[in-house]
């Protein structure tokens, strides 16, 4: 039976959940935005409930901040800093029913409102008038239960043992700020290239898209190029690409279907006190004029593709903490992933606003773990709500970010390796050289011979 309650403006049940509970979340995801998506998707509750729709949205966003906790514990943290009598604590069943009533559509609409490149005056993320963006995919584990297994399949591990069912996520990220321009996801049985193809709707002229070797398929590159965006994608060094013309800088022009690409071959060396390590890179780009888009600069720029790898590291090991998603139904999984992406984007927006408030500060120096910890603290304290007409654009998250700016990014000297394996028997810890080296990069352009 529904519990009787009086309502506050906006449909919030009095004595259950007040606006001050959500602290810093309301700075970036304000009540008006949430109410708009609820109305747009027809998800506003028709009667007074213990957990109204607006409250459910914020519980989901808070759940993305405390991924190791159940939703009742998340609700407790939302209410922990309140003065006066403790609000009525909903049961686990009530919270589950509230999430089911809401469905995934409002969370998807909310993400659509907050997604996109973060506004900044910094030069990071731009190169020769082009906005630099990166695309890549990753896998997220979902609970192993019959409902999820009907949609999401298990992936075989290296030792032949099946793990959790997996969801495949592909995203388009703005380099410099690491804000999510768009994301698509679904069963891991669908390939990464198909999800990447769907992201083409967000590509525009004036963008330069970076991708790894997995995205060098001719059909996909032609599909992306049709949007007007320029491409810079790595391909396998041994790929046969017959040249149609040679450029004065040693690069060549080749054809991929209807698309003309410039093939750039380079040897990249990393020089440290321990010696020099080199690697061969072959890049394909639609920027065919070597005079206006020098090959050596493009080789250096390609390193910015790691921005999306860092974004996934912030989503998976940092926010999720290695935890499996909570939802035990496909609709719940969809709802949870949209909440996760919305929360990530909200944090990235706050971080960019903070660095932008100090001219000349590179957004790269904003620490994601600092912003995440500050948001969690503010939420538990029920603090950070602006009660007067003065709008604090930086807020508690920004102040923490600016107080703990990271040093300038160092040159990467090693490939990615697992520093802490899931199983201690697979750990490679003793073989890892954790010494920090001063390094320099040397690029030698090679004469392309596809």
């Amino acid at each position: 039976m529904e519990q009787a309650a009086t309502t506050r403006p906006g449909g919030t049940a009095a004595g259950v959940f007040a606006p001050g509970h959500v602290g810093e979340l309301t700075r970036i995801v304000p009540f008006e935005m949430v109410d708009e998506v609820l109305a747009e998707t027809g998800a506003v509750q028709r009667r007074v409930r213990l957990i109204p729709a607006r409250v459910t949205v914020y519980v989901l966003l808070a759940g993305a901040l405390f991924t190791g906790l159940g939703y009742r514990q998340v609700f407790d943290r939302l209410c922990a800093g309140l003065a006066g009598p403790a609000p009525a604590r909903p049961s686990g069943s009530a919270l589950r029913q509230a999430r089911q009533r809401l469905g995934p559509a409002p969370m998807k609409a909310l993400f659509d409102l907050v997604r996109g490149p973060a506004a900044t005056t910094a030069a990071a993320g731009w190169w020769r008038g082009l906005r630099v963006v990166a695309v890549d995919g990753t896998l997220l584990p979902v609970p192993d239960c019959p409902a999820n297994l009907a949609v999401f399949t298990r992936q075989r591990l290296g030792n032949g043992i099946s793990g959790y069912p997996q969801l495949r996520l592909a995203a388009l990220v703005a380099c410099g700020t690491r804000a999510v321009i768009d994301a698509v996801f679904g069963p891991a049985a669908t390939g990464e290239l198909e999800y990447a193809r769907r992201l083409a709707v967000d590509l525009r002229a004036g963008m330069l898209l970076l991708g790894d070797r997995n995205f060098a398929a001719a059909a996909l590159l032609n599909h992306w190029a049709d949007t007007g965006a320029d491409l810079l994608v790595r391909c396998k060094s041994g790929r046969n690409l017959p040249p149609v013309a040679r450029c004065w800088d040693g690069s060549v022009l080749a054809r991929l279907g209807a698309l003309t690409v410039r093939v750039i071959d380079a040897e990249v060396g990393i020089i440290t006190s321990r010696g020099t390590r080199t690697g061969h890179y072959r890049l394909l780009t639609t920027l065919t004029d070597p005079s206006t888009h020098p090959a050596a600069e493009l080789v250096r720029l390609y390193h910015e593709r790691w921005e999306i790898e860092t974004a996934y590291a912030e989503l998976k090991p940092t926010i999720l903490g290695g935890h499996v998603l909570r939802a035990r139904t496909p609709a719940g999984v969809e709802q949870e992933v949209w909440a996760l992406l919305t929360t990530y984007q909200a944090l990235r927006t706050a971080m960019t606003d903070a660095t932008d408030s100090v001219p000349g500060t590179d957004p790269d120096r904003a620490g994601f773990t600092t912003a995440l910890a500050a948001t969690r603290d503010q939420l538990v304290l029920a603090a950070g709500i602006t009660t007067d007409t003065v709008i604090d654009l930086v807020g508690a998250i920004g102040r923490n970010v600016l107080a703990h700016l990271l040093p300038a990014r160092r040159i990467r000297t090693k490939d990615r390796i697992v520093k802490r394996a899931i199983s201690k028997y697979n750990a490679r810890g003793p073989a890892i050289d954790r010494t920090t080296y001063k390094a320099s990069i040397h690029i030698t352009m090679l004469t392309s011979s596809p």
Side-chain angles (χ1 to χ4, degrees), residues 84-443:
R89 188 183 191 227
S91 65
S93 176
L95 286 166
R96 183 180 65 256
Q97 292 175 41
R99 300 196 309 275
Q100 290 172 344
R101 283 195 303 269
L102 186 72
M107 303 310 297
K108 169 66 166 66
L110 187 59
F111 173 72
D112 284 337
L113 284 180
V114 302
R115 69 181 176 93
T120 177
T121 58
W126 292 87
W127 180 76
R128 292 182 174 257
L130 298 172
R131 181 187 291 279
V132 183
V133 300
V135 65
D136 205 359
T138 191
L139 295 172
L140 295 175
V142 303
D144 191 346
C145 59
N148 283 341
L149 283 171
V151 175
F152 305 106
T153 57
R154 294 190 181 96
Q155 299 292 295
R156 284 285 175 183
L157 305 179
N159 56 7
I161 301 174
S162 295
Y164 281 100
Q166 301 282 335
L167 168 150
R168 192 182 301 279
L169 168 70
L172 186 67
V173 167
C175 297
T177 62
R178 298 174 210 164
V180 179
I181 297 173
D182 201 1
V184 292
F185 56 88
T190 301
E192 190 174 55
L193 297 188
E194 170 57 25
Y195 289 115
R197 188 190 66 80
R198 298 176 192 176
L199 291 171
V201 296
D202 294 283
L203 296 177
R204 302 285 185 274
M207 287 183 174
L208 177 58
L209 177 65
L210 310 183
D212 64 20
R213 284 174 288 194
N214 189 48
F215 300 106
L220 180 61
L221 295 182
N222 277 268
H223 182 66
W224 281 342
D226 287 342
T227 66
D230 284 299
L231 313 176
L232 180 62
V233 178
R234 189 179 179 184
C235 78
K236 294 180 180 179
S237 299
R239 185 170 179 177
N240 183 28
L241 295 168
V244 296
R246 295 189 178 274
C247 302
W248 59 263
D249 65 347
S251 61
V252 301
L253 301 183
R255 298 284 291 178
L256 287 176
L259 185 64
T260 299
V261 295
R262 181 166 154 225
V263 184
I264 299 172
D265 278 296
E267 187 177 79
V268 180
I270 299 177
I271 305 168
T272 70
S273 59
R274 293 198 63 183
T276 301
R277 296 174 62 243
T278 60
H280 180 203
Y281 277 70
R282 171 171 286 179
L283 302 178
L284 308 179
T285 181
T286 54
L287 300 170
T288 56
D289 188 345
S291 299
T292 56
H293 300 99
E297 289 189 27
L298 286 168
V299 173
R300 288 183 178 273
L301 180 68
Y302 182 74
H303 180 75
E304 296 299 311
R305 193 197 70 79
W306 279 96
E307 295 276 344
I308 193 167
E309 302 282 4
T310 306
Y312 283 143
E314 292 162 350
L315 274 172
K316 295 168 68 175
T318 305
I319 294 184
L320 285 173
H323 295 111
V324 179
L325 297 177
R326 298 182 182 89
R328 303 183 69 82
T329 64
V333 167
E334 182 183 355
Q335 181 187 66
E336 188 176 354
V337 174
W338 290 129
L340 177 67
L341 291 169
T342 301
T343 301
Y344 171 84
Q345 184 74 353
L347 289 172
R348 270 286 156 202
T349 301
M351 293 164 66
T352 304
D353 286 348
T355 55
D356 229 39
S357 69
V358 181
T361 303
D362 192 328
D364 248 358
R365 297 188 61 196
F368 189 82
T369 54
T370 299
L372 179 62
T375 307
R376 287 170 173 168
D377 291 344
Q378 290 296 306
L379 190 144
V380 171
L381 294 171
I385 293 295
T386 302
T387 56
D388 53 25
T389 58
V390 178
I391 300 176
D392 183 0
L393 293 178
V394 177
I397 300 174
R399 286 190 291 273
N400 275 272
V401 167
L402 294 176
H404 301 90
L405 288 175
L406 302 175
R409 178 191 291 176
R410 297 194 301 265
I411 295 175
R412 189 181 189 92
T413 60
K414 297 184 180 70
D415 298 329
R416 285 187 301 171
I417 55 176
V418 177
K419 292 185 177 180
R420 187 177 68 181
I422 296 174
S423 168
K424 65 181 180 180
Y425 300 105
N426 293 328
R428 297 167 55 192
I432 298 173
D433 180 7
R434 292 185 170 85
T435 307
T436 299
Y437 297 97
K438 290 185 178 180
S440 60
I441 294 178
H442 178 71
I443 297 175

Side-chain angles (χ1 to χ4, degrees), residues 55-109:
V55 173
T56 307
V57 169
Y58 283 109
V59 169
L60 285 163
L61 295 177
L65 294 171
F66 297 99
T67 54
L69 304 178
Y71 281 111
R72 292 193 81 195
Q73 294 170 300
V74 171
F75 189 90
D76 291 341
R77 277 154 179 76
L78 289 173
C79 304
L82 297 179
R89 188 183 191 227
S91 65
S93 176
L95 286 166
R96 183 180 65 256
Q97 292 175 41
R99 300 196 309 275
Q100 290 172 344
R101 283 195 303 269
L102 186 72
M107 303 310 297
K108 169 66 166 66

